[in-house]
Amino acid sequence: MPLPHRSRAKAVAVSSPLPHPQPQKKRDILEDEARFLRSWFERPLVTGAVTPSGRMLARTMASYVDPRLSGPVIELGPGTGPVTDALVRRGIAQERLVLVEYNPDFCKLLRRRFPKATVLQGDAYDIRATLEGVVAEPACATISSLPLFTKPLEQRLDLLSAAHDLMHPDAPFVQFTYAVVPPIPAKSTTYTASRSNKVWLNLPPARVWVYRRP
C-alpha cells in the first residue's frame, strides 16, 4: 500500500514467520501496566487510561468484527496492543491491521509485537489526513480505545463521520467507555448505536458502544 507523504504519520510493516503473536506473560502484562501508568502521568489527556484494556474487554470489542468481511481493520489508540491481540485471535490477519497510535514508545512496541501490521504514528482524531494513501479499500471495522470524553462533542462526531467514510456501509465503529453515558450520543438520524452489557471483569468496569451508518 502507498504511504502518506505527511511526515507525522510513519508506517512500518515487517515480515515475520510467526502467524500469531505469542501469549503475553505475566511479566509483560505488568510491564505494559507500568508503561501505561508512566504515559498517563506524562500526558493524561492523550493516554486517557492508567492501565491497558483487560482481556475480557478486548475480547468483547473484537467480537464485533467479522473476519469474513473484506478490507482492513483500523484500530485507533491501540496502546500496548491488548485489543490488537484479541483481533488476531478473532481471526484477523496481521496484514489487515492498520494501527494508529500517537505515543512513539507504544508504536515501537506494537511493531515488535505485530510485525506484519501497518503501524502509523499519527493523530487518530484526524484520520482523514493520517490514513491518506494508506487505506486503499473500504475498511470492515474501526476499533477505538481513544479517550473521547477529553475532546469536544463536535470533534467526536467528526471522528465518527470520518471513520464511517473509510468503511463499508453498516461496518462497525467500536468504542469502549468507563462512563455511564455513551461517548458519542446514541440518538442520531445519520447513524445507529447499540451497546454491550457492562464488562465487570475489566478494571474499572467498562461498556462497549457500536455505531453504524446504514
Side-chain angles (χ1 to χ4, degrees), residues 79-97:
T80 58
V83 180
T84 316
D85 181 76
L87 287 168
V88 173
R89 295 179 187 282
R90 172 77 172 158
I92 304 297
Q94 285 192 34
E95 292 87 346
R96 296 178 61 188
L97 296 173

Side-chain angles (χ1 to χ4, degrees), residues 2-214:
L3 301 181
H5 296 294
R6 300 174 183 267
S7 59
R8 59 177 172 175
K10 304 176 182 178
V12 172
V14 184
S15 296
S16 170
L18 295 177
H20 299 288
Q22 295 299 306
Q24 278 189 288
K25 299 178 181 179
K26 185 175 182 180
R27 179 180 177 182
D28 293 334
I29 295 174
L30 292 175
E31 289 178 352
D32 285 354
E33 291 176 350
R35 288 187 183 97
F36 250 79
L37 186 60
R38 182 169 60 251
S39 180
W40 183 84
F41 274 121
E42 293 172 352
R43 291 174 293 186
L45 295 183
V46 174
T47 304
V50 297
T51 60
S53 298
R55 182 175 299 178
M56 187 59 67
L57 175 58
R59 190 180 304 168
T60 301
M61 296 177 73
S63 70
Y64 290 98
V65 181
D66 187 347
R68 298 169 297 179
L69 296 181
S70 64
V73 175
I74 302 168
E75 187 179 356
L76 308 178
T80 58
V83 180
T84 316
D85 181 76
L87 287 168
V88 173
R89 295 179 187 282
R90 172 77 172 158
I92 304 297
Q94 285 192 34
E95 292 87 346
R96 296 178 61 188
L97 296 173
V98 179
L99 313 178
V100 182
E101 173 56 51
Y102 185 82
N103 187 311
D105 293 330
F106 289 166
C107 285
K108 293 177 183 177
L109 184 66
L110 291 166
R111 289 164 185 155
R112 189 164 66 248
R113 289 183 172 171
F114 307 97
K116 293 184 179 180
T118 298
V119 179
L120 298 171
Q121 183 185 337
D123 184 1
Y125 290 100
D126 189 14
I127 58 174
R128 290 185 179 92
T130 302
L131 296 182
E132 183 180 0
V134 175
V135 177
E137 59 179 309
C140 73
T142 299
I143 311 295
S144 170
S145 298
L146 299 174
L148 293 188
F149 280 111
T150 64
K151 300 296 182 181
L153 176 58
E154 182 179 0
Q155 191 170 1
R156 286 177 261 161
L157 289 170
D158 183 66
L159 171 65
L160 178 63
S161 176
H164 280 149
D165 288 343
L166 292 170
M167 296 190 293
H168 289 291
D170 201 42
F173 178 94
V174 183
Q175 171 74 48
F176 87 89
T177 182
Y178 302 126
V180 296
V181 296
I184 298 174
K187 294 183 179 180
S188 173
T189 58
T190 60
Y191 60 80
T192 63
S194 60
R195 65 178 187 177
S196 72
N197 294 325
K198 183 161 285 190
V199 183
W200 293 103
L201 293 180
N202 194 70
L203 186 65
R207 192 186 299 278
V208 177
W209 283 86
V210 181
Y211 301 86
R212 302 177 188 269
R213 178 189 287 172

